[in-house]
Amino acid sequence: MTNQNPTHETALAFRALHIPGRPLVLPNAWDTASARLVEEAGAAAVATTSAGLAWDLGTADGDRLDRDRALGAVARVAAAVLVPVSADIESGYAKDAAGVGDTIRAVLAAGAVGVNIEDALYGREGDDGEGAGDGGRGPLRPVDEQAERIAAARAAADAAGAPLFINARIDTVLRGAGGVEETLERAAAFLAAGADGIFVPGAVDPGTVKSLVAGVEGPLNVLAGPGAPSVAELAALGVARISTGSSIAQAAHAVVRRAARELLSAGTYDSLTGGLDYAELNTLLGGAR
């Protein structure tokens, strides 16, 4: 059994994993191998990282990947695991709200039961996702425009009879575009438009997280990694979902570069110490699901 053609029950099961104080922990994956490893480690669900997925397909992150290639990768991940899958679809792989609805229909066909939709703007030459978007409009989409896109996503999922979990990502903190007050205003608008949860990457300070948990009328997702509070500490603050974004992919690629440089310069192999056993990995990834 796989998650191709996801069931209503799978989507409901994924929704039920978002519990304030007992958060869903997501070590984000970017291909079938990483997804299977995350599942094997005991994750209750698999979430893709748009950055890791884009890099794997030879593209930079930041709305540069086209819908078909992105969702083709999501479909392969969903077919590879038995747990629910949530797809990071950046800003929806579409120029307008109607296009976001088309993307959601493709997400469901790919086998995912959740999505992340972000409010960051891209498009300026050289924008790497951390800058100010396209200059004239600022780093984030206007609230009304982003709410319309989320509403289109909700309508498309509802029309398909799928209780898709829509996680509205708000980049106020990550892009320096606002504090707690601005984040809460956006969160309220996006939840009213049909979002189910709120994701605020960059918010790891305990005081900020506590304020967001108190002010958001829905499950709060934070982005964790080196230097962030532990899962237990974030759980105690009332967080309902913790993800790692592209950080695991970045760590994996660091091993590739380190090993390659060592081999080509020193002619030694110390960077390869601690690799997974060939037979174990071959069995895990080669077995039928």
Side-chain angles (χ1 to χ4, degrees), residues 151-176:
R154 178 84 278 149
D158 289 349
L164 182 78
F165 190 97
I166 299 175
N167 203 32
R169 172 173 149 174
I170 300 175
D171 276 4
T172 43
V173 177
L174 189 64
R175 288 184 158 221

Side-chain angles (χ1 to χ4, degrees), residues 211-239:
S211 295
L212 291 173
V213 167
V216 172
E217 296 294 329
L220 180 70
N221 180 186
V222 299
L223 182 68
S230 68
V231 167
E233 291 170 320
L234 291 170
L237 292 171
V239 170

Side-chain angles (χ1 to χ4, degrees), residues 26-41:
L26 297 169
N28 295 77
W30 63 94
D31 60 8
T32 56
S34 58
R36 290 285 287 275
L37 288 166
V38 166
E39 179 187 38
E40 188 267 344

Side-chain angles (χ1 to χ4, degrees), residues 108-138:
L108 295 171
V113 294
V115 292
N116 278 8
I117 304 178
E118 64 190 69
D119 62 356
L121 268 173
Y122 301 101
R124 188 180 64 179
E125 187 69 23
D127 184 10
D128 63 358
E130 299 295 331
D134 62 1
R137 301 180 68 198

